[in-house]
Amino acid sequence: MKRITAWAAVLTLTLSLLTGCAQIDESSADELPFPSEETPVEEEHSGLPAVFALPYLEGQPLNPLTCPDGVQQTVASLLYEGLFRLDQTFTPQPLLCASYTYDSETLTYKLTLRDDVVFSDGSPLTAADVKATLNAARSSARYARRLSDVKSISAGDGTVTLTLNRPNTGLPALLDIPILKSGTEKHSVPLGTGPYLYDESSESCLIASQNWWRHLSQPVERISLTGTADQESMLYRFSSRDVQLIVADLTGTDPVAVSGSVSYNDADTTVFQYLGINVSAKGLDDAAFRRCLSLGVSRRALVSSLLSGHAKAAQFPVSPVSPLYPADLEQTDSVVAFTDALNVCETRPSRTLRLLVNSENSFKVSMARQIAAAFTAAGAATETVELPWEEYTAALTAGRFDLYYGEVRLTADWDVSSLLATGGSLNYGGWSDPQCDQLLEGCRSGGNREAAFRGLCRYLQSQAPILPICFKTVSTLYESDVLEGLTPTAAEPFYGLENISIHLRAN
């Protein structure tokens, strides 16, 4: 936990996208100003709140399959649970699923459900509920891509069988999809198995579920839901202490000011930032030169100085917090090593390289400018070309670039085929390599995922078709004196709910 200030603080923040399909996600943001402690400002409100409140979007569903990203998903995380949940290393842990088996010959997963789970109305969880939910998820914008390899779903007696179109030994990492009671999966607020339930009588609060099957402590009996029409009103509610917690991307879009005594905890995400390379361009078609450029990206320094630490530096397209990340393969980047490597590189282009970046995101612009300056200083002249989103994507599609600063939200099985497979939907650099394709398939189908990813990362390090930079974090902001014990994940701001304490004013 990091406490921003005991007095008035001003933060630049935005709503986070907690889930979503893999895509290049470029958007505007301003630099994060650090609060000054030189001029204390008396807070308009003082003391603890009488109730704990969260924001929600009025008129929008709380159905986790269809509701908007951001605040609705934060509320929904208290109402619903998945077959698996992702821990803080993105490792899938069985939750509603007790155990599973995978048959690589028939491409089937057989999931055995827990027999002690009930919904908030007291009815037992059945295989039919899981089947209905997953079928609904297959046609939802949020989860369709995750389940695109699922050919069929069948329900048995306490078991659910998923038959795939192609191998994927990492599928459990995609099955943290919230499970809903069959027949309610299209409701605005379906029934779930989570620690809280929606109070139908008041339509403005959650109450602790007496039927929560995990039988763990819930920090408060009632959570008030404070309606907001949009992001601006939500942030006003937070700064005026009408709500006590929000989730924000501090290096994202649409910056606004929030004041108050605020603390925050960062959670790792699968949002991957990298330098894309046009591997067909002269000079950049040589792996030796691309490896030189990788030495010139000072990842940790960039994250610390330009992203204010709201990311994890990475040399591979897997989050450093994942057990699949081969930390021992990392190479030390340095100006000296970069300059020396360039001096002996016979294919170094004599022209100035063009590095595209979306001009609408000042954080990414700053990162691109710093990288270009480092390349230029070492002898690889590089200029940034800063374009608005539509022009940026058009240039990528047309291949009018040498390098580009990109961002993609990966899925937690770390499938990077869209970026690196021949013909991948986000493979703007035109990388096509049979050995890489084979290694990518091995990561999907291999029984030893750690060995498979290690082999892929070693090969990517030698060929450098892209230059990984970092994985972003998302921040849970809350009133400093109200909450204790938060250990959020990207999908669950209240992860480890039983360890959270909420302090309220005594009535």
Side-chain angles (χ1 to χ4, degrees):
M1 179 270 286
K2 298 180 181 178
R3 188 181 179 103
I4 296 173
T5 176
W7 302 97
V10 178
L11 294 178
T12 297
L13 57 87
T14 65
L15 287 174
S16 72
L17 292 178
L18 296 183
T19 56
C21 299
Q23 59 183 343
I24 291 185
D25 179 17
E26 303 282 342
S27 49
S28 64
D30 287 341
E31 296 285 355
L32 174 67
F34 288 93
S36 171
E37 297 189 6
E38 297 178 358
T39 310
V41 179
E42 183 179 355
E43 296 184 24
E44 181 179 350
H45 300 275
S46 61
L48 298 174
V51 297
F52 180 71
L54 294 174
Y56 80 110
L57 296 177
E58 294 177 304
Q60 296 291 336
L62 285 171
N63 187 318
L65 304 185
T66 60
C67 71
D69 289 316
V71 292
Q72 303 299 81
Q73 287 287 311
T74 297
V75 175
S77 71
L78 294 168
L79 301 174
Y80 308 103
E81 298 170 314
L83 293 167
F84 296 83
R85 72 190 314 199
L86 300 180
D87 65 17
Q88 291 170 316
T89 67
F90 297 101
T91 302
Q93 305 293 343
L95 189 56
L96 303 184
C97 175
S99 62
Y100 71 94
T101 59
Y102 174 62
D103 187 326
S104 59
E105 292 186 2
T106 61
L107 301 181
T108 56
Y109 277 88
K110 186 174 183 180
L111 312 173
T112 300
L113 306 181
R114 293 183 60 99
D115 59 10
D116 57 347
V117 179
V118 297
F119 289 98
S120 58
D121 66 349
S123 61
L125 171 72
T126 68
D129 297 313
V130 175
K131 177 182 177 181
T133 300
L134 294 183
N135 276 328
R138 292 170 74 185
S139 60
S140 72
R142 176 170 288 115
Y143 295 117
R145 180 178 175 272
R146 290 197 196 186
L147 301 176
S148 60
D149 291 338
V150 176
K151 181 168 65 175
S152 64
I153 305 172
S154 60
D157 184 12
T159 63
V160 177
T161 301
L162 306 181
T163 303
L164 308 184
N165 293 310
R166 58 174 181 160
N168 188 351
T169 54
L171 184 68
L174 307 181
L175 296 179
D176 61 335
I177 298 168
I179 300 301
L180 316 175
K181 184 176 176 60
S182 178
T184 73
E185 65 271 15
K186 295 183 179 180
H187 291 183
S188 176
V189 188
L191 289 177
T193 64
Y196 286 84
L197 59 92
Y198 184 72
D199 186 355
E200 296 283 355
S201 62
S202 72
E203 298 184 355
S204 61
C205 77
L206 309 180
I207 56 176
S209 174
Q210 301 303 307
N211 293 315
W212 191 30
W213 62 277
R214 297 186 70 195
H215 306 297
L216 299 174
S217 63
Q218 296 131 303
V220 287
E221 287 296 315
R222 181 178 180 273
I223 298 175
S224 178
L225 298 181
T226 300
T228 57
D230 51 31
Q231 177 178 314
E232 183 178 356
S233 61
M234 180 208 68
L235 291 163
Y236 172 77
R237 294 288 194 185
F238 182 64
S239 63
S240 63
R241 303 187 69 177
D242 293 329
V243 300
Q244 283 70 52
L245 179 147
I246 60 173
V247 177
D249 177 359
L250 297 181
T251 59
T253 70
D254 301 330
V256 291
V258 173
S259 63
S261 179
V262 177
S263 297
Y264 72 91
N265 293 69
D266 278 356
D268 293 287
T269 76
T270 60
V271 177
F272 175 48
Q273 293 189 351
Y274 62 98
L275 213 60
I277 302 176
N278 186 343
V279 297
S280 63
K282 186 177 180 180
L284 293 168
D285 56 354
D286 182 71
F289 179 63
R290 298 195 299 266
R291 287 195 300 272
C292 288
L293 293 183
S294 183
L295 291 173
V297 181
S298 300
R299 295 164 176 85
R300 287 182 172 83
L302 288 168
V303 166
S304 175
S305 62
L306 300 181
L307 297 181
S308 302
H310 296 296
K312 292 280 197 324
Q315 294 188 20
F316 307 103
V318 179
S319 172
V321 304
S322 168
L324 298 176
Y325 187 86
D328 61 307
L329 296 182
E330 287 191 336
Q331 297 177 337
T332 302
D333 52 61
S334 72
V335 174
V336 173
F338 180 34
T339 304
D340 290 346
L342 278 178
N343 288 336
V344 299
C345 185
E346 298 178 355
T347 59
R348 181 177 65 182
S350 57
R351 60 190 171 82
T352 298
L353 300 177
R354 288 164 45 90
L355 196 171
L356 296 189
V357 62
N358 176 21
S359 61
E360 297 168 12
N361 187 307
S362 65
F363 288 96
K364 293 172 187 174
V365 168
S366 295
M367 294 282 280
R369 287 176 179 173
Q370 186 67 28
I371 291 169
F375 286 178
T376 299
T382 304
E383 64 177 0
T384 59
V385 180
E386 301 162 14
L387 300 174
W389 173 245
E390 290 187 2
E391 294 181 30
Y392 169 83
T393 55
L396 290 183
T397 302
R400 299 193 303 269
F401 65 92
D402 293 306
L403 309 166
Y404 71 92
Y405 196 95
E407 178 178 290
V408 59
R409 183 181 296 277
L410 299 176
T411 47
D413 61 346
W414 308 113
D415 182 8
V416 290
S417 298
S418 61
L419 285 175
L420 295 169
T422 300
S425 60
L426 301 179
N427 187 353
Y428 297 108
W431 170 251
S432 179
D433 182 277
Q435 185 172 348
C436 182
D437 290 340
Q438 184 177 2
L439 290 167
L440 288 168
E441 183 58 32
C443 290
R444 289 183 55 86
S445 60
N448 187 337
R449 285 172 58 77
E450 185 173 352
F453 274 88
R454 183 179 181 83
L456 173 65
C457 291
R458 188 188 293 275
Y459 189 69
L460 294 178
Q461 187 178 60
S462 71
Q463 298 300 308
I466 62 172
L467 306 183
I469 297 175
C470 65
F471 281 85
K472 290 183 60 174
T473 61
V474 68
S475 302
T476 299
L477 293 94
Y478 54 95
E479 287 187 31
S480 300
D481 298 327
V482 176
L483 284 94
E484 286 185 275
L486 279 180
T487 55
T489 64
E492 296 186 58
F494 296 95
Y495 185 88
L497 180 74
E498 65 276 12
N499 300 315
I500 296 173
S501 297
I502 296 177
H503 305 291
L504 301 175
R505 183 172 71 245
N507 292 328

